[in-house]
C-alpha cells in the first residue's frame, strides 16, 4: 500500500468522523494559531524597534558627559574638535535644558536643545517647513528657533508658525523652521523639542557646558574605531570611566534585538506548549479510535493487511489531522496578524520561517503522537481483534 | 492443498486452560469441498483460524500448498491471507463505514492493485453474487443475506484458491442460507477449494466430504476421495 492509498483511507476515516476529527484538530489549530500570531507580532515589534533605533541616525554614536567634580561637561570647542578625528563624518554637540515656550496665550514645557547646523544630518531629521540653523546663526547668537512637530501642534494648533515670535523662558525667538515628525523612539518623543543655536542656548541656560555630543561615523565599519578613540580621549580628559558614556547604535540594536528576540522566543515557547497539548489530544483520540476500531483492524488483518499497512493508515491519519489543523491555524494566525496590523499601529512580520516551522512542527506533532497508537493498532493479534465487540 | 498433523491448541485465560484442539490430523485435496461439522465449542473455529493463518497452533505442523506455515513471517502470513485465502464469517465482518463496493475492494488495496482494476474487479465480484444494484449501500442498509453475499464477493475478489467459511449461514434465514450455499457450490464448481464450518447436518450434507469434530478431535470423515 503506497502513501497516496494510505492517505485516501485516512481521509475516509477522518471524514466519517467529522465532529471528532474537528475537535481533535482544534488543539493543533489553537496551538499553531498562537505560535504564528505571537511570533509574528514579536518579530514585528523587533523590526519596528530596529527601525526606530536606526532612525535615530545612521552610524550614530552618542557621547554623554556626566562629569567628575567641577569638570561636568565639555566646552563647545572641545566637542567640535572631535569632528577632526579619523572616521568621523560630522558632530553635533548639544546643550540642553527644560524650558517653557509661549506663543500668545499658549504655553508648553519642553526640551531645549542648543546645537549646530550638522544636527539634522547626524540625527536623521528632515525639515518640514522653513530651514534649519545656519552657521551665521551660531556665530551671531541669533534668536531663531526650529520647532519639533509636537510643539507646533501645541502652540500653533495647525497654523503656520514660520516667522512667528515665541518666548522661550521669557526671551523672544523667531521661528525659522519645523522638523518633520519622527515619532517616538528609545528615550521618548523626538518631536517634543525646540532647537536653537548652541551659542544662544549657552547664554539662555546660563551654562556653557556641552553634555551630549552626537557623532556620525563615516561608515558602519568605522564605528568601533571611533568609539575606541572617543573613549581614549574622554579617559584622558576626565580620568574616570564613570564620567562619560559612549553609546553606539549598533550596540543598542544588539541589546534591543536580544531582548525582543528572547521575548519572541518566550511567547513562541508558551504557544508551543499549547501545540504540545494539542498533540497529546491527538494521541488520546487516536488511542480511543484504535480501541473502537479493534474489530475493523482484525477484519483488515484477515483480508491481508500487513502490519505496515495498518501502521501507515493510523500514522497518516494522525499526521493528516495534525497538519490540516496546522494549516487552518496558520490561516487564522495570518488573518489575525493582518487584522491587527491593519487596525492598530502594531506591525507584524509574517515570515516564511514561521510558516515553515508551524507546518513542519504540526506535522511532526501528528507523527510523533501518532506513532504509539498506530503501533498499538498494527500489533493487535488478528484473532483477538476479530473477537472484539 | 492443506495438510495438518498433530495440531493442538491450548488457550490459557486467568489460570484456566482450555484445550480447544487435541491433536488434529487432516488433509484436504485441491478442489475439495469439505464441511467440518461438530457441536458448539468443539474447536471448529479454532481449526479454521489456524488453517486461515490468523492464528498459530500450540503444537503440530501445517502445510499450505506445500509450504510450512510456521516458518512464515508475519508479513508472509498476511500475504498468504491476502492472495490465497478468502474468509466468510458467521457475523459477516464487513467494515461498517464503507460501501459494499469499498468493502469488496479492500483486499485488492492491500495487494497493491491499481484503483481502476480494483473497481472493475470489485464490481464484477458483486455482480457475481447478484448485488449489482447495491454497490454503494452501506452494510447497515443491507439485509443479512445481502451482507453475507458482499462478504462472499470480498472473499472471491482476490481470486483465492481456498475459501474458508465459518458458519456462513448461521445468522441467516433459511432462504438466504440456501442462496449462500448455492454460491459456495458454484465457487467449488469453478475449481476452488472450500472448507465450510457448520454445526447443522443439513448444511454439511451439501458438501462432498464431511469431517466430524468433537472436543478438539476428529471423530469421523465421510465422502472424501481419500476415504
Ligand atoms: N481466545 C480464546 N480464549 C480462550 N478460550 C477460547 C478462545 N477461543 C476459543 N476458546 C475455547 O476453545 C473452545 C473451542 O472454541 P471454538 O473453536 O470457537 O469452537 P466452535 O467454533 O466449534 O464453537 C471453546 O471451549 C472456547 O471457549
Ligand atoms: Mg465457532
Amino acid at each position: 500500500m503506497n502513501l497516496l492509498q494510505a492517505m485516501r483511507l485516512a481521509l475516509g476515516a477522518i471524514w466519517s468522523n467529522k465532529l471528532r476529527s474537528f475537535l481533535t484538530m482544534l488543539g493543533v489549530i489553537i496551538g499553531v494559531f498562537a505560535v504564528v500570531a505571537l511570533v509574528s507580532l514579536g518579530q514585528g515589534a523587533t523590526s519596528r524597534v530596529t527601525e526606530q533605533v536606526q532612525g535615530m541616525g545612521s552610524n550614530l554614536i552618542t557621547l554623554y558627559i556626566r562629569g567628575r567634580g567641577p569638570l561636568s561637561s565639555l566646552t563647545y570647542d572641545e566637542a567640535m574638535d572631535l569632528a577632526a578625528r579619523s572616521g568621523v563624518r560630522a558632530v553635533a554637540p548639544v546643550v540642553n535644558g527644560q524650558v517653557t515656550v509661549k506663543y500668545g496665550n499658549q504655553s508648553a514645557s519642553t526640551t531645549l536643545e542648543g546645537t549646530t547646523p550638522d544636527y539634522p544630518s547626524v540625527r536623521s531629521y528632515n525639515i518640514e517647513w522653513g530651514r534649519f540653523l545656519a552657521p551665521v546663526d551660531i556665530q551671531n547668537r541669533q534668536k531663531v528657533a526650529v520647532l519639533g512637530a509636537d510643539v507646533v501642534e501645541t502652540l500653533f494648533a495647525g497654523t503656520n508658525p514660520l516667522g512667528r515670535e515665541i518666548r522661550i523662558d521669557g526671551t523672544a525667538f523667531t521661528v525659522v523652521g519645523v522638523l518633520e515628525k519622527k515619532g517616538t523612539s528609545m528615550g521618548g518623543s523626538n518631536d517634543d523639542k525646540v532647537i536653537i543655536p548652541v551659542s544662544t542656548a549657552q547664554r539662555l541656560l546660563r551654562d556653557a557646558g556641552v553634555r551630549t555630543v552626537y557623532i556620525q561615523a563615516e561608515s558602519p565599519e568605522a564605528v568601533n574605531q571611533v568609539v575606541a578613540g572617543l573613549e581614549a580621549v574622554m579617559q584622558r580628559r576626565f580620568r574616570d570611566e564613570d564620567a562619560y558614556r559612549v553609546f553606539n547604535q549598533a550596540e543598542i540594536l544588539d541589546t534591543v534585538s536580544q531582548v525582543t528576540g528572547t521575548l519572541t522566543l518566550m511567547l513562541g515557547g508558551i504557544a508551543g506548549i499549547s501545540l504540545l497539548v494539542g498533540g497529546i489530544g491527538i494521541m488520546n483520540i487516536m488511542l480511543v479510535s484504535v480501541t473502537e476500531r479493534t474489530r475493523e483492524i482484525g477484519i483488515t488483518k484477515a483480508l491481508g493487511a500487513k502490519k505496515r499497512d495498518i501502521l501507515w493508515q493510523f500514522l497518516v491519519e494522525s499526521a493528516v489531522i495534525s497538519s490540516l489543523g496546522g494549516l487552518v491555524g496558520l490561516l487564522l494566525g495570518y488573518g489575525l496578524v493582518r487584522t491587527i496590523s491593519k487596525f492598530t499601529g502594531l506591525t507584524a512580520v509574517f515570515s516564511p520561517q514561521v510558516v515553515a516551522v508551524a507546518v513542519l512542527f504540526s506535522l511532526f506533532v501528528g507523527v510523533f503522537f501518532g506513532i504509539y497508537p498506530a503501533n498499538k493498532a498494527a500489533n493487535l493479534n488478528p484473532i483477538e481483534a476479530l473477537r472484539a465487540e | 492443498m492443506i495438510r495438518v498433523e498433530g495440531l493442538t491448541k491450548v488457550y490459557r485465560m486467568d489460570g484456566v486452560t482450555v484445550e480447544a484442539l487435541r491433536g488434529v490430523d487432516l488433509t484436504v485435496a485441491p478442489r475439495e469441498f469439505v464441511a467440518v461439522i461438530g457441536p458448539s465449542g468443539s474447536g471448529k473455529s479454532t481449526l479454521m483460524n489456524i488453517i486461515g493463518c490468523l492464528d498459530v497452533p500450540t503444537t503440530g505442523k501445517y502445510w499450505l500448498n506445500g509450504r510450512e506455515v510456521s516458518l512464515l513471517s508475519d508479513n508472509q502470513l498476511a500475504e498468504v491471507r491476502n492472495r490465497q485465502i478468502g474468509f466468510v464469517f458467521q457475523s459477516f465482518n464487513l467494515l461498517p463505514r464503507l460501501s459494499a463496493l469499498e468493502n469488496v475492494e479492500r483486499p485488492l488495496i492491500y495487494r497493491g492493485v491499481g484503483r481502476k482494476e480494483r473497481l472493475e474487479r470489485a464490481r464484477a465480484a458483486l455482480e457475481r453474487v447478484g448485488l449489482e444494484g447495491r454497490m454503494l449501500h452501506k452494510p447497515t442498509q443491507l439485509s443479512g443475506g445481502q451482507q453475507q453475499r458482499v462478504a462472499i464477493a470480498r472473499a472471491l475478489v482476490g481470486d483465492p484458491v481456498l475459501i474458508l467459511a465459518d458458519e456462513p449461514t448461521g445468522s441467516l434465514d433459511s432462504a438466504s442460507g440456501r442462496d449462500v450455499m448455492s454460491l459456495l457450490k458454484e465457487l467449488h464448481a469453478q475449481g476452488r477449494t472450500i472448507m465450510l464450518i457448520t454445526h447443522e447436518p443439513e448444511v454439511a450434507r451439501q458438501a462432498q466430504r464431511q469431517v466430524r469434530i468433537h472436543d478438539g478431535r476428529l471423530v469421523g470423515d465421510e465422502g472424501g476421495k481419500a476415504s
Side-chain angles (χ1 to χ4, degrees):
Chain A
M1 193 166 66
N2 58 20
L3 185 60
L4 194 74
Q5 193 55 54
M7 207 108 119
R8 254 196 220 122
L9 295 187
L11 283 175
I14 291 170
W15 190 245
S16 68
N17 235 324
K18 287 183 229 20
L19 180 64
R20 181 199 280 184
S21 303
F22 172 72
L23 290 177
T24 312
M25 249 177 241
L26 206 54
V28 181
I29 292 178
I30 292 171
V32 169
F33 168 74
V35 168
V36 166
L38 290 178
V39 170
S40 297
L41 290 174
Q43 288 188 339
T46 309
S47 73
R48 193 181 160 94
V49 172
T50 308
E51 235 166 63
Q52 281 176 349
V53 173
Q54 279 165 347
M56 282 165 33
S58 50
N59 309 325
L60 180 71
I61 300 160
T62 312
L63 172 63
Y64 290 111
I65 309 294
R66 200 179 296 144
R68 175 170 168 246
L71 276 180
S72 67
S73 57
L74 295 179
T75 64
Y76 172 69
D77 289 336
E78 277 175 321
M80 290 312 285
D81 283 347
L82 297 175
R85 302 191 60 79
S86 85
V88 175
R89 174 174 293 154
V91 301
V94 172
V95 172
N96 55 5
Q98 280 302 121
V99 293
T100 306
V101 188
K102 282 197 172 123
Y103 174 72
N105 54 8
Q106 300 292 322
S107 95
S109 173
T110 183
T111 306
L112 180 80
E113 291 190 337
T115 188
T116 59
D118 280 338
Y119 182 90
S121 77
V122 174
R123 295 286 323 271
S124 299
Y125 273 100
N126 292 321
I127 309 301
E128 172 98 49
W129 295 317
R131 64 172 178 90
F132 196 70
L133 306 174
V136 286
D137 296 326
I138 316 289
Q139 280 157 28
N140 301 338
R141 292 205 181 91
Q142 295 286 9
K143 294 201 174 75
V144 292
V146 176
L147 305 184
D150 287 356
V151 178
V152 173
E153 184 87 1
T154 330
L155 295 186
F156 294 93
T159 64
N160 184 359
L162 292 186
R164 300 298 165 97
E165 189 159 282
I166 57 171
R167 288 187 166 271
I168 303 177
D169 280 355
T171 308
F173 281 76
T174 308
V175 178
V176 295
V178 173
L179 295 175
E180 193 180 84
K181 197 168 179 65
K182 206 169 168 181
T184 52
S185 73
M186 330 277 312
S189 170
N190 287 308
D191 303 313
D192 186 14
K193 61 169 73 170
V194 173
I195 296 174
I196 61 174
V198 60
S199 47
T200 320
Q202 286 174 324
R203 277 266 167 96
L204 188 76
L205 297 169
R206 291 186 202 81
D207 181 354
V210 173
R211 290 198 184 78
T212 308
V213 187
Y214 295 109
I215 296 141
Q216 185 175 37
E218 275 168 357
S219 63
E221 295 75 41
V223 169
N224 282 338
Q225 174 212 337
V226 173
V227 167
L230 275 177
E231 282 173 343
V233 171
M234 290 305 120
Q235 190 60 31
R236 239 176 287 137
R237 175 80 171 71
F238 293 104
R239 307 206 168 281
D240 181 358
E241 276 185 15
D242 294 332
Y244 59 89
R245 290 276 282 146
V246 180
F247 280 108
N248 136 18
Q249 191 195 42
E251 217 172 278
I252 299 177
L253 262 181
D254 272 1
T255 316
V256 164
S257 54
Q258 244 172 40
V259 169
T260 52
T262 312
L263 205 73
T264 306
L265 216 65
M266 233 170 66
L267 289 176
I270 293 169
I273 290 174
S274 68
L275 192 52
L276 207 69
V277 173
I280 294 170
I282 291 186
M283 175 140 114
N284 191 16
I285 291 300
M286 291 307 292
L287 282 174
V288 170
S289 142
V290 168
T291 308
E292 273 184 0
R293 287 195 253 160
T294 298
R295 193 184 172 85
E296 275 183 51
I297 294 165
I299 295 170
T300 56
K301 284 202 160 182
L303 299 181
K306 298 190 173 94
K307 269 188 188 177
R308 136 163 67 85
D309 294 329
I310 292 166
L311 190 82
W312 261 119
Q313 189 191 329
F314 278 85
L315 205 56
V316 167
E317 188 173 327
S318 79
V320 165
I321 286 183
S322 185
S323 6
L324 269 181
L327 234 51
V328 173
L330 191 66
L331 289 178
L332 287 180
Y334 180 69
L336 180 85
V337 161
R338 284 293 296 271
T339 316
I340 285 184
S341 40
K342 196 166 173 188
F343 291 107
T344 71
L346 285 173
T347 36
V349 177
F350 200 74
S351 66
Q353 288 98 307
V354 172
V355 175
V357 166
V359 170
L360 288 181
F361 197 57
S362 59
L363 184 69
F364 169 78
V365 161
V367 171
F368 182 80
F369 288 103
I371 281 178
Y372 177 68
N375 209 38
K376 198 175 160 185
N379 284 320
L380 284 174
N381 173 308
I383 288 300
E384 274 159 33
L386 274 172
R387 290 170 151 252
E389 267 322 293
Chain B
M1 173 92 224
I2 295 170
R3 185 152 70 90
V4 298
E5 278 177 10
L7 222 52
T8 68
K9 180 75 187 178
V10 180
Y11 291 108
R12 257 184 208 87
M13 260 174 82
D14 310 322
V16 186
T17 58
V18 180
E19 288 182 73
L21 297 178
R22 304 168 189 248
V24 173
D25 302 316
L26 178 67
T27 304
V28 177
R31 297 161 181 261
E32 239 182 330
F33 187 171
V34 192
V36 175
I37 183 166
S40 176
S42 55
K44 306 182 296 290
S45 295
T46 304
L47 178 63
M48 189 196 92
N49 289 338
I50 291 171
I51 288 173
C53 299
L54 285 168
D55 207 352
V56 287
T58 309
T59 61
K61 291 194 165 172
Y62 169 28
W63 292 267
L64 178 64
N65 281 331
R67 281 211 288 180
E68 193 177 343
V69 170
S70 63
L71 301 179
L72 300 181
S73 69
D74 267 5
N75 264 349
Q76 288 171 317
L77 289 176
E79 196 123 308
V80 168
R81 291 195 293 267
N82 185 251
R83 291 176 180 269
Q84 307 197 20
I85 301 173
F87 289 96
V88 182
F89 299 94
Q90 175 175 3
S91 51
F92 321 136
N93 277 342
L94 298 175
L95 296 169
R97 288 178 291 109
L98 304 185
S99 67
L101 190 66
E102 288 167 324
N103 263 291
V104 175
E105 176 198 34
R106 237 344 141 84
L108 300 179
I109 290 184
Y110 298 126
R111 197 184 283 193
V113 175
R115 190 176 153 77
K116 194 161 164 275
E117 186 189 341
R118 249 168 26 219
L119 289 177
E120 269 168 24
R121 287 174 69 172
R123 280 199 195 95
L126 280 167
E127 278 164 21
R128 174 86 189 65
V129 299
L131 286 177
E132 51 275 3
R134 299 280 188 279
M135 298 208 187
L136 300 180
H137 286 55
K138 296 269 165 73
T140 47
Q141 297 164 331
L142 297 171
S143 72
Q146 288 170 330
Q147 287 186 58
Q148 195 60 300
R149 281 189 279 159
V150 173
I152 291 173
R154 184 178 66 184
L156 64 87
V157 73
D159 208 14
V161 284
L162 174 63
I163 287 183
L164 297 177
D166 189 353
E167 314 225 18
T169 60
S171 310
L172 302 178
D173 59 81
S174 49
S176 306
R178 271 196 299 280
D179 288 350
V180 165
M181 283 313 295
S182 58
L183 267 172
L184 289 178
K185 276 186 263 182
E186 280 173 37
L187 293 176
H188 171 240
Q190 285 165 3
R192 289 190 179 78
T193 311
I194 295 182
M195 188 164 180
L196 168 72
I197 280 167
T198 182
H199 63 269
E200 298 169 86
E202 53 277 23
V203 172
R205 261 198 296 281
Q206 300 180 53
Q208 278 178 332
R209 173 182 171 194
Q210 291 90 28
V211 174
R212 220 162 270 284
I213 186 169
H214 193 85
D215 248 354
R217 283 197 185 86
L218 297 193
V219 293
D221 193 343
E222 296 147 31
K225 291 168 189 161
S227 60

